[in-house]
Amino acid sequence: MFTRLNQIGALLTMGLQTLPQRKSTAGVVVIGIASVVAVLVSVLAIAQGVERTLGDSGRNDTAILLSSGADDEVDSLVSRADYDAIAGMPQVATAASGRPLADGEVVTAFPARFKNSSEEGSVTLRGLGTYGLAIHPSIHISHGRTFRPGLTELIVGAGVARRFRGFADGDRVKIGNSFWTVVGQFKSDNVHDSEVLADVRTVQSVMDMGNDYNSAYVRLKSADELQSLEEAVASNPTLHLETQSEPEYFAAQASGLSAALTVAAYVMGIIMACGAVFGAIHSLYIAADARRIEMATLRAIGFSPGSVLVGFLIEALFLAFAGGCIGGVLSWLLFNGHVVTSMYGGMSQVVFQLDVTAHLVGLGMVWACAIGLLGALLPALSTSRRPVTEALRG
Amino acid sequence: MSALIELRDLSKIYFRGRQKLEVLHQMNLEIEEGEFLALMGPSGSGKTTLLNLIGGLDSPSEGTITVAGQRIEGLGQSELSRWRASNVGFVFQFYNLLPMLSARRNVELPLLLTRLPAPQRRRNAEIALQLVGLAERAAHKPGELSGGQQQRVAIARAIVSDPKLLVCDEPTGDLDRRSAAEVLNLLQNLNREQGKTVVMVTHDPKAAVYATHTLRLDKGALAEAAEASE
Ligand SMILES: Nc1ncnc2c1ncn2[C@@H]1O[C@H](COP(=O)(O)OP(=O)(O)OP(=O)(O)O)[C@@H](O)[C@H]1O
Ligand SMILES: [Mg+2]
């Protein structure tokens, strides 16, 4: 006699061959599952983009010092005296000139107009010191030149130039009551890409900020010196500062945001998935119900209940798989390589690059198959559990 | 002729919650090989129940069922499935064809349970369709066939794997006179020329005329019917 496997194969072939004739029922299942996967994959891609931009950058041998309790640079204050004390510490590397490789920096935000809408967003202006570009080696001038100390000149991150109006070379940018000339553009693989940079002294004086900084950046003699610097700062009673490595700081900035987005992705994904699971269960139930007599007839003819059940489940899995593929492709088409902006530090927009990775699509497929199985299992089980005589009565 | 089917002290009890319903009570019956038996009786008398037991779709509460020398009352689900596949052909009141499949592929279904290669399956299905006079309708879907034609496709499906026994539950119950006569003639031919043993449930005394033998089922027991009148 014939094996189970052959029976399942025969039923499955039959099921798949007749699929075109069941376009509408099958279509409802496929589209439902495709939309869940599209939403889930897209939102997760956003979360991942955020994490990569904020979380995976910075140098281990660069320390950032903020006032105790400040979560980010905007909330922090580092006085001139604090800065001098830090710069004099032995853990700090020295520049070719013999002076310590350390800088005080200021950050402030100003409104700017988006390119593709009439809405206003917010851009961060960072004041860099003498060693700014040495301390932030991720920053590469892509065209034009860098700003000159003492002049109201600035350079623009690629992310800002892409998103906002009025940041082309030679443009004059109004910040507060002052006007700044764009003299160049730069690229950076971290948050600086969404900033504009100028000379710290000029920013302090033009913006009436006094002599204080928001943060101090120092290049360490080596990454191993971080702990010793941390201890030196902590043991100095006049300093109320916290020391972090640059990656630690970026990661801390990212975690709130990307965790929130990841949670949002899952909450949205799960809500959509619930809807789609019930939709899929419903449509599969109707499909199974319409074929109850068919299944009973097959069993009467001599097909085993198990193979009728498994054949039906594999057919549902096939539909789910198709839905998952469509959903994955859809989110890839819609989002891959695209950028979104998001608030950063409560003040400025940061631009994120989205990658719809194979890993994310794979995750979506797992979800799709789980939904398909769950949706098909209930009606198929209830049908195959009934005695064939009862099932035949309809 | 020897008895193809032998029922001994057969009882079937259904439970509805606490309620016990004894549909068949200690029934004894022998059906000879080559017989065409018509089963009649009022609605709810247990005709379908009896037919399902003979066809191995259901198991009795008590008693034994022997078909072609094999006891089937104790077989499990999957053993019964296998037994049905090679020993019984079923014909239902509402044809029970798969609507997505062509007539030929419907007829081919039972052969999917055999090791026959695809071309051989196809040929056997076509021969069976020829036997019921529907060779030219092989490519049609059930929806494109009349009720009588659909029932003849169902009969082709029932005989394609060449079982000795055909079990038919009101095969003409949904058909007009002319189609019913065609189906009954077909069953009679299969009985006379192919030697199929046919057990048929019917409400129609005119249908019973085609049978070689008619029994009445009432209150869980069988009785000989008065000759073709009711
Ligand atoms: N699975 C079941 N559970 C409980 N009771 C059942 C079940 N199947 C049948 N019955 C009952 O058993 C009795 C006999 O049913 P059966 O279908 O065998 O009658 P029948 O003679 O075929 O009737 P009809 O001529 O209407 O088809 C009926 O009272 C029916 O309600
Ligand atoms: Mg009945």
Side-chain angles (χ1 to χ4, degrees):
Chain A
M1 207 56 203
F2 229 35
T3 62
R4 282 277 152 90
L5 219 59
N6 293 85
Q7 287 190 29
I8 294 170
L11 292 173
L12 195 61
T13 314
M14 214 162 65
L16 296 184
Q17 279 174 350
T18 57
L19 215 50
Q21 297 173 58
R22 285 179 274 124
K23 272 195 237 39
S24 46
T25 24
V28 171
V29 175
V30 170
I31 291 168
I33 290 176
S35 36
V36 185
V37 171
V39 168
L40 190 77
V41 169
S42 305
V43 186
L44 283 176
I46 295 173
Q48 216 173 56
V50 171
E51 193 134 26
R52 205 188 21 191
T53 307
L54 294 180
D56 207 24
S57 52
R59 289 173 61 121
N60 281 318
D61 64 353
T62 301
I64 171 170
L65 291 102
L66 303 178
S67 49
S68 303
D71 285 333
D72 54 43
E73 291 177 85
V74 177
D75 289 335
S76 162
L77 183 106
V78 177
S79 71
R80 182 73 214 212
D82 290 347
Y83 167 74
D84 288 335
I86 297 157
M89 288 186 173
Q91 294 84 356
V92 178
T94 43
S97 63
R99 296 196 28 220
L101 208 45
D103 261 335
E105 295 187 0
V106 295
V107 293
T108 181
F110 63 94
R113 303 279 287 275
F114 283 114
K115 267 187 175 161
N116 52 6
S117 79
S118 58
E119 277 169 52
E120 273 194 349
S122 165
V123 173
T124 296
L125 167 67
R126 177 179 296 271
L128 290 186
T130 324
Y131 299 108
L133 294 182
I135 285 175
H136 301 290
S138 78
I139 295 170
H140 298 285
I141 304 290
S142 52
H143 55 82
R145 56 169 176 82
T146 188
F147 53 84
R148 278 178 298 200
L151 297 180
T152 51
E153 292 179 347
L154 51 77
I155 57 175
V156 176
V160 175
R162 197 162 47 225
R163 300 281 292 172
F164 293 96
R165 249 183 254 183
F167 287 95
D169 287 0
D171 281 354
R172 284 169 61 75
V173 180
K174 185 171 188 286
I175 303 177
N177 294 321
S178 55
F179 285 91
W180 298 71
T181 307
V182 176
V183 296
Q185 212 184 86
F186 66 91
K187 284 197 178 102
S188 162
D189 62 4
N190 59 39
V191 290
H192 300 308
D193 206 51
S194 303
E195 296 177 342
V196 299
L197 307 175
D199 172 47
V200 64
R201 294 256 168 273
T202 315
V203 175
Q204 282 173 327
S205 65
V206 171
M207 312 288 284
D208 282 331
M209 290 171 129
N211 277 328
D212 294 331
Y213 302 111
N214 290 108
S215 56
Y217 282 81
V218 304
R219 170 66 47 77
L220 300 166
K221 283 182 173 143
S222 81
D224 304 333
E225 302 280 358
L226 181 73
Q227 197 176 347
S228 127
L229 178 70
E230 220 173 315
E231 286 162 8
V233 169
S235 61
N236 184 332
T238 64
L239 294 177
H240 301 286
L241 300 176
E242 272 170 22
T243 313
Q244 305 170 72
S245 73
E246 209 176 35
E248 280 170 358
Y249 175 65
F250 284 146
Q253 292 298 299
S255 62
L257 192 56
S258 76
L261 268 170
T262 310
V263 168
Y266 272 105
V267 169
M268 276 170 67
I270 286 168
I271 291 171
M272 291 278 296
C274 284
V277 167
F278 285 113
I281 288 176
H282 185 68
S283 45
L284 284 162
Y285 196 93
I286 287 172
D289 205 52
R291 297 170 69 194
R292 215 170 54 206
I293 304 262
E294 261 178 59
M295 291 192 192
T297 307
L298 287 171
R299 282 167 61 192
I301 287 173
F303 286 87
S304 78
S307 27
V308 173
L309 173 76
V310 173
F312 184 79
L313 285 185
I314 297 180
E315 200 183 310
L317 263 183
F318 177 85
L319 292 183
F321 192 82
C325 287
I326 292 173
V329 167
L330 208 67
S331 83
W332 190 82
L333 286 178
L334 286 176
F335 290 110
N336 193 46
H338 285 233
V339 290
V340 288
T341 54
S342 183
M343 299 303 277
Y344 165 55
M347 286 190 66
S348 306
Q349 262 95 9
V350 178
V351 176
F352 304 106
Q353 168 94 24
L354 298 195
D355 279 334
V356 177
T357 59
H359 173 79
L360 286 182
V361 173
L363 194 71
M365 298 303 296
V366 170
W367 269 74
C369 292
I371 290 169
L373 259 190
L374 214 77
L377 199 60
L378 296 176
L381 261 184
S382 86
T383 308
S384 80
R385 277 212 181 123
R386 293 175 65 199
V388 62
T389 49
E390 264 181 58
L392 274 173
R393 282 172 200 261
Chain B
M1 283 205 289
S2 62
L4 180 71
I5 300 164
E6 210 178 296
L7 311 181
R8 286 277 162 265
D9 301 320
L10 195 70
S11 296
K12 180 68 184 179
I13 300 165
Y14 288 119
F15 292 92
R16 269 199 208 119
R18 292 243 178 91
Q19 220 179 344
K20 229 171 102 174
L21 181 69
E22 187 168 33
V23 179
L24 302 177
H25 179 69
Q26 306 233 315
M27 179 177 292
N28 287 290
L29 174 65
E30 282 183 14
I31 303 171
E32 302 296 320
E33 180 154 9
E35 193 173 328
F36 185 165
L37 174 67
L39 267 176
M40 300 190 66
S43 185
S45 57
K47 302 182 295 295
T48 297
T49 303
L50 178 58
L51 207 61
N52 286 343
L53 289 171
I54 292 172
L57 285 171
D58 204 355
S59 299
S61 310
E62 270 172 44
T64 64
I65 307 171
T66 314
V67 180
Q70 190 184 358
R71 293 269 294 267
I72 62 165
E73 78 277 356
L75 296 182
Q77 283 291 323
S78 49
E79 289 166 310
L80 266 183
S81 295
R82 259 175 274 146
W83 179 82
R84 287 196 301 269
S86 44
N87 291 284
V88 195
F90 291 92
V91 180
F92 305 97
Q93 179 174 358
F94 299 106
Y95 335 127
N96 290 24
L97 298 174
L98 271 57
M100 305 294 174
L101 300 182
S102 68
R104 181 182 62 74
R105 296 200 60 193
N106 262 291
V107 174
E108 211 182 306
L109 277 176
L111 298 180
L112 296 178
L113 296 164
T114 68
R115 289 196 185 280
L116 285 183
Q120 185 68 48
R121 291 201 307 255
R122 197 189 161 104
R123 198 152 346 122
N124 289 7
E126 276 158 4
I127 291 170
L129 276 173
Q130 214 157 21
L131 218 61
V132 301
L134 287 174
E136 329 78 72
R137 299 306 189 109
H140 289 232
K141 301 244 166 77
E144 300 158 358
L145 299 172
S146 74
Q149 288 170 331
Q150 287 187 60
Q151 193 61 301
R152 278 148 65 198
V153 172
I155 291 171
R157 180 180 66 188
I159 60 172
V160 73
S161 51
D162 200 24
K164 279 190 178 153
L165 175 61
L166 292 186
V167 154
C168 317
D169 199 348
E170 303 189 35
T172 59
D174 201 43
L175 298 178
D176 61 54
R177 284 251 149 256
R178 238 192 72 220
S179 307
E182 279 173 11
V183 164
L184 290 162
N185 271 318
L186 183 57
L187 289 175
Q188 195 172 47
N189 271 340
L190 289 169
N191 172 249
R192 284 183 181 165
E193 276 149 41
Q194 315 264 327
K196 303 288 180 207
T197 304
V198 181
V199 183
M200 174 180 76
V201 165
T202 183
H203 279 288
D204 182 2
K206 291 205 174 67
V209 173
Y210 290 80
T212 55
H213 192 184
T214 302
L215 287 175
R216 277 191 67 83
L217 185 59
D218 206 354
K219 306 204 170 67
L222 281 168
E224 288 290 334
E227 269 315 300
S229 65
E230 204 141 331

